[in-house]
Structures are given as structure tokens and as C-alpha cells.
Amino acid sequence: MPVGIQDFEDLRRRGFLYVDKTALVYKLAREGKPYFLSRPRRFGKSLLLSTMEYYFLGKKELFEGLEIEKLEKDWIEYPVIKISFGADNYPDLACLKSQENLILSDYEKKYDIEVSDSRAAPRLKNLIKTACEKTGKQVVILIDEYDKPILDALYTEYEEQNRQELRAFYSPLKDCDKYIRFLFITGITKISHMNIFSGLNQLDDISLAKDYSSICGISESELVENFTPEIEALAKEQEMSVQETKEKLAQMYDGYHFAHDVEGVYNPFCLLKCFKYREFASYWFESGTPSFLVKTLQNQPFELENFVNGRIATENQFKNYDPDSKNMLPVIYQSGYLTIKDFEKETRFFTLDFPNEEIREGFLDVLLKKFITVPYDEIGLEINNLKIALRNNNVDKALSIIKSAIADLPTIVKKDMCENYYESVTHLMFRMTGYRVLSELQSVAGRSDVVVATNKSIFIFELKMDKGKATAGDEEKNSAELKKILDDALVQIDANGYSERFTVSGKTMHKIGVAFSSNGKGILGWKIK
């Protein structure tokens, strides 16, 4: 299994398994010139660029037995300039400039170029022109993780500085068009206001293109074609049938859709790790929760409802990341935490949701650790206790667990946002149990009912805020106000017919009104019907 191997030549010469994507590489090379591809981390972007590198270097022997061997007749050797920002971190401008210098210096030595201008942009322009003139062939430029210096500095004073530096660095690509045979750029996000996109008017963004939806990742058909022995070995190790093993693999690692109405793809890193160690695990999250995910949550802590129960969005809302906007959806989607689950042709609305169980559990775990007060090492235990309480129809125990977890409003959440916070975190904790959870989350000024379905029961929770009606020090009035809030919640469940849609299930029905403090003091009480 080629776990972590990103060099195509190394992979081929050492006899590692390779899922053949070369027909798509040939198609790209024949049909266009400047391309951009956005994919999540650990999805094979670097290996794809390495494959392109050796193809354009004319290394025919490395492609023996692959699709492109049948398609390509000429095998011309082009000068290739490969620019990668994946090997370092860029918390500030100095680190970025240092990496630019290292990349350019290596190629300047190769082409015996004397540097007369120390700025990165003029050096890149001179490199492209000289490489073309000295070889007599147009240049192939491959840029890997073009956006990492910006994501590394996200929400810091250096984000804009790094963005400005990269804007200048990439600017020669437009002016050097006549010297360029092929240009391919990869990254996690597509960042607006970058010369790389605004300057290259013909840059073909294939991130949501059906033809290339499986260019990174492993499709179901590729899984069966290439990994049948590994699936059988995994099944034997786990004491499961082959069919059960396939279903578990799909549940854990499948579900990514980078266009609508296409076959989903598996995360290749997780799949290869699973086959190598013959164990189901959360390999994507074990490799490290991306720092920019936490930064994003810290920057926009009040939009939890957008990510816990699916999200309907237009293409423009999740396609481009604008640093000047408060919309974090592009970062969450393009990072791989959400994927396309449905598409309505008439309205052109996309439904985005978690691709699979690994991402759902990992993402919600990150959210819980950030937004509730239960110590980190007790979260797993508390969620398990919550699951047991629901399974045993013990509503009092379940809500007591949630009450202790959100006893006080975190300092990062403003009091006028507490309704959104309580609704979202309550929903999150229920979802972490693994039971099916439905909710109709609305705005801060609205209301939210949460429905939890176990194997034998349906729990309908109507969440209400006290809106400051209870008076401090007046216990009798507080008790009366709380009773009214809870009674109103139960009446609303019946009046709106929340339970009617579930009557055909034959499951035991539990209706629960829950009251929260508008002053940030958590759950005030609940009533069960």
C-alpha cells in the first residue's frame, strides 16, 4: 500500500499499487492549458502532480501498462517547473519569502540563470522565459498547495501580507502565457481576489466538473477492481463477511461527491491505511486536526447550525473563499468536512452534509471539545452515558448530562447569541450518540425542535428560552414562569403535529419541553409528557 508516497517514480519503481488516473491526465493535457483543482488534504493532489511531472518529462517507461501508454504516441520531454508550498509552515511573511527563494534558486542553478532582481515575481518570470528559450520548448508549470501560506496565517496579521506576496509571485503566469505549455494549480481553497484567478481569465476550474470528479480519490468501481484481495484480508481480520466489510468501508470512508449526479469517491489515505493495518479507524483525523478548522470555528463560533444537520447552498456560497467575507462555508466544504449530497436542478440548490461517519464523528468531536465544559477526557464517557440513557428511555438522565455539559455560557459566546449556542450544542451532543437526529434549526429569534430516534423510541424536544421573564430572588414567580414555558413547549409539540409524522413507526413517543436561560446559565428545567 503506497501510504504517504507522493512521488510517482518512487511508487512505480518500487512496485506499489497504483490506481490508474493517467487517462484523465492525458485528457487534461490534450484539451486545455491552465487548470485549477481544489481537493481536501490527503486526497492525492501531490501524487497527481507528480504523475503529470513525469508524463511531461517524457518518462515513458514509468507508464508501462497504464492507460496513457495506449493514448500517447509522441512522449515529448518538456521543461517542468514544480512549485510546492507543502513542505513547510508559513506563519509569517519571512517564512514564505524564504521558501520562494529556495524554490527559485534550485531552478536558477539548473538553467544557469544569473539573478539581477531579488524579488520573487521577476525571478519567476525570468525563469519561465529562460527555460523555454534554452530548451526550445514551452514550459510546464505545476503548483501544489498554492494556498497553504494563506491558510497557515489565517486570521492573523500575516494573512493579508502572505496573500499580497503570493498575488505578486503568481502575477507573471499571465504575462508568460506564450512560454507555457501546461499549467496546473492545486490547493484546498479557491481564494478570491488573487491574481492567480483574476489575472488568468481562461483558468479552467475543474473542482466541480463531472468529467474530473474522480481524478483524486478512489471510486467504488476502482475499489472493487484494485483492492479485492485487501478487502478479503480485512474481512478475515475483522471476522466479517466480504459484503459487510464493503458496507463498513463505505460507511467510514466513502461519500465524497465533487459534482452532482456522479459516483462518490473514497478518501484514498484512509482506505490505504485501513487496508495496510486491517483495522477500521479515524485515520484522517488521527493525522492531525487542521489548525485552520479550529481557527475558523473560533472566528465564527455562532454558525454551528450550518454544519450539524446539512446545509442548503448555492454554488457561489461554497465555491470561493473570500477573506473579506464572514462566510466560512467554502473553507469547511473545500477542506472535506462537507460534501455534495443532493442537487435540485430547478433551483440549483446544493445540499451539503458530512461525507461519512469518520468525518461526522471527528468534526462533531472537535466542536464538542470547543463548545462544552465537560473535560476533554470525559467527553467519550459522557456521550456513551447519554446514549445509554436514551436507549433506556431515561430522559431525566439524558438531560442531566447535557445540563452539566453546558452549565454556563462559554466566554467566547455573547449572551445575545446564547439561544443559537444552546440549540446547536444540544443537537451536537445528541448526534454524537450515533442515533438519528432531526431538527428544524432557525435563526436566533426563532425556535428549534429536535427529534431523536432510537431503535424503540422517538424523543421530541421543544427548546425554549426564558427571555428573562423569571425575576432574580423571586422563587415563586420563577417557578410559575418556568412551568408556563414548559407547558407552552408541550402544547406547541401537539399543536404543530410534530409527533404525527412518527406515529406510523410504532415506537414509544416521548415529548419533552426544555427551558434555557437567556442569561447564559444553561438548562433551567424540563417537563416530560
Side-chain angles (χ1 to χ4, degrees):
M1 296 291 103
V3 177
I5 296 180
Q6 300 178 347
D7 184 83
F8 181 74
E9 181 177 33
D10 184 35
L11 182 149
R12 294 290 287 170
R13 294 200 186 281
R14 294 172 61 190
F16 284 96
L17 189 149
Y18 174 70
V19 177
D20 192 355
K21 305 287 187 179
T22 59
L24 292 175
V25 171
Y26 180 79
K27 178 179 172 66
L28 287 167
R30 295 281 292 181
E31 295 182 359
K33 179 160 80 172
Y35 294 98
F36 172 76
L37 176 69
S38 166
R39 285 294 184 268
R41 65 191 179 93
R42 296 197 177 279
F43 237 88
K45 298 188 298 296
S46 297
L47 178 59
L48 174 64
L49 257 66
S50 180
T51 306
M52 292 176 174
E53 177 184 12
Y54 289 105
Y55 165 62
F56 280 109
L57 286 173
K59 301 284 188 177
K60 181 180 179 180
E61 70 278 7
L62 297 178
F63 295 87
E64 184 178 347
L66 301 179
E67 284 297 313
I68 204 168
E69 184 187 33
K70 307 171 190 174
L71 300 169
E72 183 58 74
K73 306 302 180 185
D74 299 328
W75 293 97
I76 299 171
E77 180 182 355
Y78 293 92
V80 176
I81 298 173
K82 191 174 180 182
I83 298 170
S84 175
F85 289 104
D88 203 350
N89 294 315
Y90 310 94
D92 55 41
L93 185 58
C95 293
L96 173 55
K97 286 188 172 183
S98 175
Q99 180 65 9
E100 289 173 340
N101 181 61
L102 286 173
I103 293 169
L104 294 170
S105 295
D106 285 344
Y107 284 108
E108 286 163 345
K109 290 177 183 176
K110 179 178 180 178
Y111 291 104
D112 194 25
I113 298 173
E114 184 174 337
V115 178
S116 58
D117 191 327
S118 62
R119 293 175 299 160
R123 290 171 65 187
L124 178 59
K125 182 176 182 178
N126 189 36
L127 169 61
I128 295 170
K129 182 180 178 182
T130 303
C132 181
E133 291 174 345
K134 287 194 173 185
T135 62
K137 295 185 180 68
Q138 288 179 301
V139 178
V140 170
I141 302 175
L142 306 173
I143 303 177
D144 196 13
E145 297 194 51
Y146 90 98
D147 55 346
K148 192 173 187 295
I150 297 173
L151 297 178
D152 283 352
L154 210 59
Y155 310 124
T156 72
E157 60 181 306
Y158 296 105
E159 178 185 355
E160 178 59 22
Q161 292 183 25
N162 283 4
R163 185 154 57 105
Q164 293 284 1
E165 175 64 22
L166 286 176
R167 179 184 295 162
F169 180 67
Y170 295 131
S171 61
L173 297 176
K174 180 182 179 181
D175 294 338
C176 292
D177 182 67
K178 68 179 180 179
Y179 302 112
I180 298 174
R181 160 66 180 85
F182 185 81
L183 170 64
F184 200 90
I185 304 163
T186 76
I188 291 178
T189 59
K190 184 178 179 183
I191 302 173
S192 58
H193 310 317
M194 290 282 291
N195 271 5
I196 198 168
F197 299 115
S198 60
L200 292 168
N201 296 326
Q202 303 304 316
L203 187 65
D204 189 358
D205 182 356
I206 61 171
S207 303
L208 296 176
K210 287 187 177 182
D211 286 353
Y212 300 104
S213 63
S214 64
I215 195 168
C216 291
I218 297 170
S219 68
E220 183 72 33
S221 54
E222 288 172 333
L223 176 70
V224 174
E225 181 181 348
N226 294 276
F227 296 97
T228 295
E230 286 75 19
I231 294 172
E232 292 172 350
L234 176 63
K236 183 177 180 180
E237 179 73 20
Q238 294 297 318
E239 298 181 345
M240 301 167 67
S241 70
V242 170
Q243 182 59 34
E244 288 172 337
T245 303
K246 288 180 180 178
E247 291 172 358
K248 182 70 173 178
L249 285 169
Q251 181 185 30
M252 288 291 292
Y253 310 124
D254 193 12
Y256 290 91
H257 295 84
F258 299 108
H260 59 86
D261 300 328
V262 295
E263 185 179 15
V265 293
Y266 291 74
N267 182 309
F269 176 77
C270 298
L271 208 55
L272 295 176
K273 291 270 282 190
C274 181
F275 287 144
K276 181 176 181 178
Y277 298 109
R278 296 185 296 281
E279 185 71 43
F280 294 105
S282 298
Y283 296 111
W284 201 63
F285 269 86
E286 284 178 1
S287 66
T289 301
S291 59
F292 74 85
L293 169 61
V294 177
K295 291 177 185 176
T296 299
L297 296 176
Q298 289 172 336
N299 189 60
Q300 290 291 322
F302 312 126
E303 293 191 354
L304 302 184
E305 74 274 17
N306 290 340
F307 310 114
V308 298
N309 198 39
R311 168 71 187 266
I312 295 176
T314 63
E315 183 176 318
N316 288 335
Q317 288 177 307
F318 66 90
K319 187 175 182 179
N320 301 329
Y321 166 55
D322 183 353
D324 298 328
S325 169
K326 293 296 184 181
N327 177 25
M328 294 296 107
L329 190 60
V331 176
I332 302 297
Y333 165 76
Q334 293 171 5
S335 304
Y337 300 101
L338 296 176
T339 195
I340 297 170
K341 286 295 186 180
D342 198 10
F343 175 71
E344 173 57 53
K345 290 185 178 179
E346 187 173 332
T347 61
R348 297 202 62 79
F349 285 158
F350 292 81
T351 298
L352 308 179
D353 207 344
F354 299 120
N356 52 51
E357 284 300 303
E358 183 195 12
I359 302 304
R360 182 188 71 84
E361 292 179 5
F363 188 84
L364 299 185
D365 184 54
V366 170
L367 289 178
L368 279 182
K369 287 180 179 179
K370 177 169 176 54
F371 289 106
I372 70 173
T373 57
V374 178
Y376 285 13
D377 57 352
E378 294 180 14
I379 284 183
L381 179 62
E382 288 299 320
I383 293 299
N384 191 52
N385 288 336
L386 179 59
K387 183 174 183 176
I388 293 171
L390 291 171
R391 189 172 63 209
N392 294 334
N393 294 327
N394 191 340
V395 178
D396 289 326
K397 176 66 173 177
L399 287 173
S400 294
I401 292 171
I402 294 177
K403 181 177 181 179
S404 67
I406 55 175
D408 292 295
L409 200 67
T411 55
I412 62 169
V413 182
K414 298 177 182 178
K415 285 190 176 181
D416 62 351
M417 297 291 188
C418 64
E419 179 172 357
N420 179 296
Y421 165 78
Y422 287 136
E423 292 175 354
S424 298
V425 175
T426 299
H427 180 98
L428 281 174
M429 293 192 71
F430 281 133
R431 280 203 75 168
M432 283 296 291
T433 65
Y435 288 129
R436 189 182 180 201
V437 181
L438 304 172
S439 69
E440 296 174 358
L441 293 165
Q442 301 175 20
S443 66
V444 174
R447 291 290 180 269
S448 171
D449 64 304
V450 177
V451 179
V452 183
T454 67
N455 294 335
K456 297 181 180 180
S457 301
I458 299 289
F459 301 86
I460 301 176
F461 296 88
E462 180 61 32
L463 312 181
K464 294 283 189 180
M465 300 295 293
D466 72 336
K467 297 299 182 184
K469 293 179 180 178
T471 304
D474 190 339
E475 294 303 324
E476 184 176 345
K477 184 175 181 180
N478 286 346
S479 179
E481 288 291 349
L482 179 59
K483 182 178 183 302
K484 185 178 185 305
I485 292 170
L486 296 176
D487 287 341
D488 288 346
L490 293 174
V491 168
Q492 185 171 330
I493 291 175
D494 290 333
N496 292 343
Y498 292 159
S499 63
E500 292 176 4
R501 72 184 101 168
F502 303 107
T503 54
V504 295
S505 68
K507 296 181 179 181
T508 304
M509 200 78 63
H510 303 270
K511 304 172 185 178
I512 309 102
V514 185
F516 291 93
S517 165
S518 58
N519 291 319
K521 297 302 179 184
I523 295 179
L524 297 174
W526 58 84
K527 187 173 181 179
I528 306 167
K529 182 178 179 181

